[in-house]
Structures are given as C-alpha cells and as structure tokens.
Amino acid sequence: MSTPQTPPRHQPAKLRVYLGAAPGVGKTYRMLDHARELRSEGIDIVIGFIEPHGRAETETAIGDLEIIPRKTVTYHSITLEEMDLDAIIARHPHTVVVDELAHSNVPGSRHRKRYEDVLDLLDAGINVMTAVNIQHLESLNDAVSRSSSTEVRETIPDSFLNRADEVVNVDVTVEELRSRLREGKIYSPEKIEQALANFFRKGNLNTLRELTLRTTAEKVSTAASEYRRTVGLEQAPIPEKVMVCLSSRPGSEKLLRVGSRIAGRLATNWFAVYVDAPGTDSRTNLEAAKRVEDFQQMAVDLGARVITLKENNIADALIQFAKRENISHVVFGQSARSRFDIMLRGSVINRFLAEMRETTVQVVSMPKKQDK
C-alpha cells in the first residue's frame, strides 16, 4: 500500500456535511465509505470520532481506517469519553471524520458543542467530514417539533451549514427506513414499536425528508449563485432581501427561525433589526436587555446580519431601513392586542403595511405580552 500523502495546505480547509432526515438513513456508513476511498487514493485521513451505536454495518465500514483514541473525562464521578481535539490537531491529518455533530460536550471541555470543535479543526487547516440529521438544524427546530411532537434539545446554528463547502444528502425511502427499524438496524428491540408510533411515523418521516431535500437544494442554489457572480457568467438579478423585526418579547426566537427559512428558500442574505427607541423595555429592564442580546446572538448563529437602530420612532426606523436596503420580505411578531390598545398606541405593523405596499409581510403570532 502506498504511503499516505498530505497535499500542501495553501487553500482553506474544506468542510463536507452528510445530511440525513433521520437516524438510520446511512449517513455514517456513506461518510466512512468515502473516507476509505480517499485513503485508497493516498490521502492521509483519520477518524476523530465515530459512534457505531452497535450497528454491524458501521463497524465493518470503519475497516482499517486510523482511529484517534478518545480522551476520558470525569464528570460528577462518572467517566465519559469525548473526541480528543488536541490529539487530532497534533496529529494534523489531511482530513478527519467526525460523527455526531450536534453532540453536547461534557461540561468543562474546551467548547460546549462538537460543531465548535470542528470549527477549530478547520481553523487548524484540517479538512472535516461530518454528519448530522435535519432535526438538529436550529432554524428548523420549530417545524420539526410540530411535525414529530418531539423536543429537539441539541442543535447546530445554520451558520455552520452555510460554512460547508459541500452538503451531501443521504436519503432512503420512508418504507426502507421503517423496514430497517423493524429489523433492529437502528434501535434496540424494546424501542422499535414506540419509535414506529412516534418519530418514525410515515407522515413525520415524509416531512423530514422534504426538509432535508429542500435544505440541500438551497445550499446548492446558493453556491451556484455565488459561483456565477464570482466568475461573471451572468449579471445577477436584484436579490430578494429579508428583514426580521426583533423585540425584547419572549418568543422572538420563533421570528428568527421563520426569517432564516425564508432567506434559505430565496437563497439570499437577511437582516435581524432591533430598534433601540426611548421607552423600550431593553433600556430599563435588565432581563429584557439580556433577551435582546440572546436573540441577536441567535440571529448571528442563523446567518443573519444584526442591525441595531437608535431612533425615536420604531415604525419610522424600520420603514427607512427597509427602503434603504430594498427589503422585499419582512417578518413581524404580533401579540394579541385589543382594538382599543391599537387605537391608543398605534400599530407598527399597520404603519409599515401602509407605507411599504410592495413588500411581502409575514406576521407571526407571539405570546401575549403580560402587563406588569
């Protein structure tokens, strides 16, 4: 066998993400299959972390690929294993395989989440192949929760997927996936019936497949548009632009997910805009100010450009910004308000609609603001 060669690293490290609709579609197997192909071509590739979950196919797919030993971490008197980030960087292969991307690291680790470890590997000049299921994408958290009636706690920001140089959709039919489940290839026997009746319901799996296909298509469309603009193949049309209007109200993360999904479908950039006006809660309430800060960080993670406007009138500020940036789509949050309250205080949304007739406005229902 030829000695693995490490090509010169004069280009930024590449990120390839294997995206699936659900556990068991074969993401890890496909990733390992490609890893063995690269090794046969003389590429220096190692496994940074793989979790076979007792699946014989995955164990076989590892073959004789080099595995970087995991490090042990003690937490509350329990010994756990984590990916050894420092050991991988010290080994410095051309490419590393990292599974379970949405995993939360043991408290006390260098980073809170594994995707942050992957970013360190990329910064170190190491190419990464990794895998994740669609339900872990932050912008789709609400949609997946509604479809599957399951709360997804571990998520990755959309900005990470946007960083990927290539997204590989690993897809199987709903019937094939349910058959794999019945055959014990995904979960242990005692979990099969419950899984078939819940997360692996046909309707839910169809929804997840559609979300996965759409997300992959959006990534391809964005990359193709960027390439055309870079090489000057054609004059890019005037792009659609999306604006999410942030407030300090609890539940505003829902607006950000909606805005991120719209921007993804349009393959365009988007803004998360907060107006810091006199009388807003964030100026007088520390809790409200902290919520705004958290929402703005979430917006960055989802790939938005965060804008803070210091103006006296919220509606005027949003209208002026929308006109200046040629915004085509706007997302507002709307809590339940009485007609008397709207007459007394006015409505930012109504004012915006009257002024910006050519703009598409989506109003998302929000929890009713509690009086204090």
Side-chain angles (χ1 to χ4, degrees):
M1 180 180 296
S2 61
T3 303
Q5 300 294 317
T6 303
R9 289 188 175 82
H10 57 279
Q11 294 183 338
K14 301 293 186 181
L15 172 63
R16 178 188 289 179
V17 178
Y18 292 78
L19 187 65
V25 297
K27 302 179 306 300
T28 304
Y29 183 88
R30 177 81 63 84
M31 184 166 59
L32 289 170
D33 192 38
H34 288 172
R36 293 197 314 276
E37 289 179 8
L38 290 175
R39 188 173 186 272
S40 70
E41 296 169 3
I43 300 298
D44 181 19
I45 185 166
V46 302
I47 292 178
F49 189 94
I50 285 290
E51 184 55 70
H53 294 292
R55 296 166 189 164
E57 291 178 348
T58 304
E59 294 279 5
T60 302
I62 293 173
D64 59 353
L65 289 169
E66 179 184 344
I67 301 175
I68 303 297
R70 302 179 189 182
K71 66 177 180 181
T72 57
V73 182
T74 301
Y75 180 68
H76 289 330
S77 302
I78 300 174
T79 300
L80 303 167
E81 291 185 334
E82 289 285 7
M83 182 175 75
D84 195 333
L85 177 61
D86 293 325
I88 298 170
I89 293 176
R91 169 66 175 75
H92 215 282
H94 175 269
T95 302
V96 61
V97 176
V98 179
D99 204 7
E100 304 284 345
L101 179 64
H103 169 78
S104 295
N105 292 331
V106 175
S109 300
R110 184 190 302 184
H111 296 299
R112 187 175 60 89
K113 304 284 289 187
R114 182 165 292 156
Y115 79 82
E116 296 173 298
D117 293 338
V118 168
L119 292 175
D120 272 6
L121 293 170
L122 294 168
D123 288 341
I126 301 170
N127 299 313
V128 178
M129 298 163 62
T130 188
V132 69
N133 286 324
I134 194 68
Q135 69 261 31
H136 296 296
L137 197 62
E138 177 61 44
S139 68
L140 298 178
N141 188 274
D142 293 337
V144 172
S145 295
R146 286 196 303 270
S147 171
S148 64
S149 301
T150 302
E151 183 180 2
V152 180
R153 293 186 175 87
E154 292 188 319
T155 60
I156 64 168
D158 289 51
S159 56
F160 181 91
L161 197 65
N162 294 338
R163 165 69 176 79
D165 300 278
E166 185 179 4
V167 176
V168 179
N169 177 32
V170 183
D171 186 40
V172 297
T173 66
V174 169
E175 284 307 322
E176 182 178 352
L177 187 57
R178 284 168 58 89
S179 293
R180 288 183 184 182
L181 180 62
R182 293 189 189 94
E183 292 166 6
K185 295 182 177 180
I186 301 176
Y187 294 147
S188 55
E190 65 273 12
K191 297 180 180 179
I192 292 175
E193 290 305 319
Q194 182 180 2
L196 284 170
N198 293 288
F199 191 85
F200 282 78
R201 287 180 292 106
K202 289 183 179 180
N204 185 49
L205 292 178
N206 278 320
T207 297
L208 294 174
R209 283 187 75 208
E210 180 182 348
L211 290 173
T212 307
L213 290 167
R214 184 187 302 165
T215 300
T216 307
E218 288 166 2
K219 173 64 181 173
V220 172
S221 175
T222 303
S225 177
E226 178 69 19
Y227 174 77
R228 288 195 303 271
R229 190 178 78 249
T230 301
V231 302
L233 289 178
E234 61 182 44
Q235 182 66 35
I238 297 174
E240 305 269 9
K241 290 187 180 180
V242 180
M243 177 175 76
V244 173
C245 302
L246 281 179
S247 75
S248 62
R249 288 200 301 251
S252 290
E253 60 268 24
K254 187 176 180 181
L255 308 184
L256 293 170
R257 293 183 181 122
V258 170
S260 177
R261 289 198 292 271
I262 294 172
R265 287 196 296 271
L266 297 173
T268 188
N269 296 325
W270 60 292
F271 301 90
V273 180
Y274 177 72
V275 181
D276 184 12
T280 52
D281 289 346
S282 61
R283 290 197 175 187
T284 58
N285 185 307
L286 290 177
E287 185 177 342
K290 180 62 169 60
R291 281 198 300 270
V292 171
E293 183 180 330
D294 290 343
F295 295 149
Q296 290 179 325
Q297 181 56 55
M298 180 180 177
V300 171
D301 289 341
L302 288 172
R305 180 180 171 189
V306 173
I307 304 292
T308 299
L309 303 174
K310 290 185 178 293
E311 300 286 351
N312 292 328
N313 185 282
I314 294 176
D316 285 346
L318 292 173
I319 290 168
Q320 290 167 13
F321 181 83
K323 288 181 176 179
R324 184 170 67 248
E325 293 293 335
N326 293 315
I327 298 295
S328 57
H329 292 70
V330 179
V331 179
F332 280 104
Q334 176 66 73
S335 59
R337 295 174 60 193
S338 67
R339 290 185 179 180
F340 177 76
D341 185 44
I342 292 175
M343 290 174 61
L344 181 67
R345 303 173 188 273
S347 167
V348 172
I349 298 175
N350 288 347
R351 171 80 193 289
F352 192 93
L353 287 169
E355 190 85 14
M356 304 291 292
R357 296 182 181 276
E358 300 302 317
T359 304
T360 299
V361 174
Q362 180 162 343
V363 180
V364 178
S365 177
M366 298 276 286
K368 185 175 181 180
K369 185 176 179 180
Q370 299 295 320
D371 295 328
K372 293 186 177 180

